[in-house]
Amino acid sequence: MSPALTIRVYSEGALAQAAGKLRAGELVAFPTETVYGLGADATNKDAVAGIFAAKQRPSFNPLISHFPDRDAAARHAVFDDRADKLAAAFWPGALSLVLPKRDDSTICDLTTAGLPSIAVRVPAHDIARALLRAADRPIAAPSANRSGRISPTTAGHVAASLGNAVSMILDGGPCGVGLESTVVDLTTDRVVLLRPGGITAEQISAVLGCDVVMAETDDDAPKSPGMMSSHYAPGLPVRLNATTPDRTIGDEVLLAFGPDCATGGFAQVLWLSKSGNDREAAANLFAVLHQADQCRVKGIAICPIPDNGLGIAINDRMKRAAAPRG
Ligand code: TXA
Ligand code: MG
């Protein structure tokens, strides 16, 4: 039951309404200088699960968190000298920085796909920054289109692609850049370009006075860590489609889903969703995986999860968690 979509041309009233919706956990599409973003409160796991549901993404890629300024971003990410230099040179602007996530960050695991790092960006669009200020919380925002479709640069594109899957579109006219931000990974002592964009490797290299490694040409530089099983595979072995305990393994923790899930005989049971709600399961996924990994058992068993809706992305994640370790 999606509520009717509200499209409002930017005004102070429209901005206040959009900020209220974001604070209430609803999805709001808003303009940035690159493309329209599909925004949700990055600290609210149910709201972030809504992004994946609306986009019909087949996997959980980590999302970029948006802030009105550098200091707001620094409450969730650890800035080193390089990060500060790049922020000073290019923010606000079309550059996203992947940095270590702070231990005290309230951004949920689903936003960062369970990674210890976080992508942060300060957009150079007056409406976006005013909205981020008014919402007064980090906003996760991928491009506001269904997965696999072209990125939206007008409110009309967003409405055509997402329709009622989004609660509100804040119409700020066409985006200037039309291409997503450059993504740079600063979590190691190298500077790795994860996604090319408007700000070039040469510009970054000139500010930092060092080489920029291209993720595509370097096997050691993960292009999209969200796609790498080893990056956050649990330490315990993972068994998929488990319907009964496997005594040859020893004690197992079951990740359970749905009212028909058989939990008997498992040493421990952690629920993804008792009612079988894919959105609730997505919201809980990474936290439950971390929790399972800390159980004093020999393995993690995962009950069958229907391969539709967000179940597709959940199963994709589970398959990666179960994949042989490199
Ligand atoms: O221009 C843009 O950046 C747009 C507008 C709306 O701001 N946003 C956008 O966000 O494109 P998003 O969430 O779709 O970007 C996700 C990309 C991932 O594919 C990945 O490359 C990178 O950002 N990313 C996010 N978090 C990461 C992390 N912790 N580690 C590595 N890469 C990460
Ligand atoms: Mg996109």
Side-chain angles (χ1 to χ4, degrees):
M1 274 160 297
S2 315
L5 165 65
T6 306
I7 305 179
R8 283 187 74 177
V9 173
Y10 168 77
S11 67
E12 275 185 22
L15 187 91
Q17 186 185 13
K21 282 178 176 289
L22 286 170
R23 281 198 299 272
E26 293 179 37
L27 301 184
V28 174
F30 63 95
T32 79
E33 80 281 25
T34 60
V35 298
Y36 272 75
L38 178 60
D41 177 353
T43 67
N44 178 337
K45 61 185 178 160
D46 299 303
V48 176
I51 290 180
F52 291 101
K55 284 186 68 85
Q56 300 177 345
R57 262 201 184 173
S59 64
F60 295 114
N61 297 334
L63 303 174
I64 297 169
S65 294
H66 296 66
F67 300 88
D69 53 50
R70 179 256 175 225
D71 287 352
R75 286 200 276 278
H76 296 274
V78 181
F79 280 63
D80 62 12
D81 273 359
R82 302 171 303 171
D84 273 326
K85 277 188 189 150
L86 292 180
F90 300 114
W91 279 358
L95 177 69
S96 297
L97 300 176
V98 177
L99 303 173
K101 187 180 180 182
R102 275 175 57 153
D103 288 341
D104 59 354
S105 168
T106 50
I107 286 176
C108 67
D109 281 336
L110 189 56
T111 299
T112 51
L115 293 166
S117 57
I118 179 172
V120 294
R121 151 162 149 80
V122 175
H125 192 292
D126 289 345
I127 295 176
R129 292 176 78 200
L131 179 64
L132 293 167
R133 239 175 262 119
D136 193 26
R137 59 205 61 200
I139 300 298
S143 55
N145 54 284
R146 287 209 201 268
S147 198
R149 308 281 179 80
I150 52 164
S151 294
T153 53
T154 66
H157 292 162
V158 180
S161 187
L162 293 175
N164 281 354
V166 51
S167 169
M168 177 172 175
I169 303 172
L170 186 59
D171 184 352
C175 305
V177 178
L179 182 74
E180 280 93 341
S181 62
T182 302
V183 181
V184 172
D185 183 353
L186 296 177
T187 57
T188 66
D189 52 17
R190 297 185 307 169
V191 179
V192 182
L193 189 79
L194 297 180
R195 181 172 79 181
I199 288 165
T200 64
E202 289 72 31
Q203 284 174 287
I204 292 163
S205 187
V207 168
L208 296 181
C210 69
D211 287 342
V212 173
V213 183
M214 301 297 159
E216 290 90 338
T217 58
D218 187 330
D219 285 346
D220 296 336
K223 186 173 181 185
S224 176
M227 304 306 286
M228 294 195 39
S229 55
S230 62
H231 214 94
Y232 46 79
L236 290 169
V238 177
R239 189 163 71 85
L240 300 177
N241 289 315
T243 49
T244 52
D246 183 343
R247 299 283 169 222
T248 64
I249 293 174
D251 282 353
E252 289 180 296
V253 55
L254 177 72
L255 306 198
F257 177 89
D260 300 329
C261 180
T263 58
F266 288 96
Q268 260 182 280
V269 178
L270 295 174
W271 284 98
L272 290 161
S273 166
K274 265 194 184 163
S275 64
N277 179 316
D278 59 349
R279 213 167 134 171
E280 185 187 13
N284 288 331
L285 177 65
F286 290 101
V288 165
L289 274 175
H290 283 306
Q291 224 182 317
D293 214 21
Q294 270 141 41
C295 291
R296 293 172 179 276
V297 291
K298 294 283 187 285
I300 300 173
I302 298 169
C303 84
I305 296 166
D307 214 24
N308 52 47
L310 280 177
I312 296 169
I314 294 169
N315 283 327
D316 172 81
R317 179 64 242 146
M318 294 306 194
K319 268 179 231 139
R320 291 174 198 287
R325 314 291 150 77

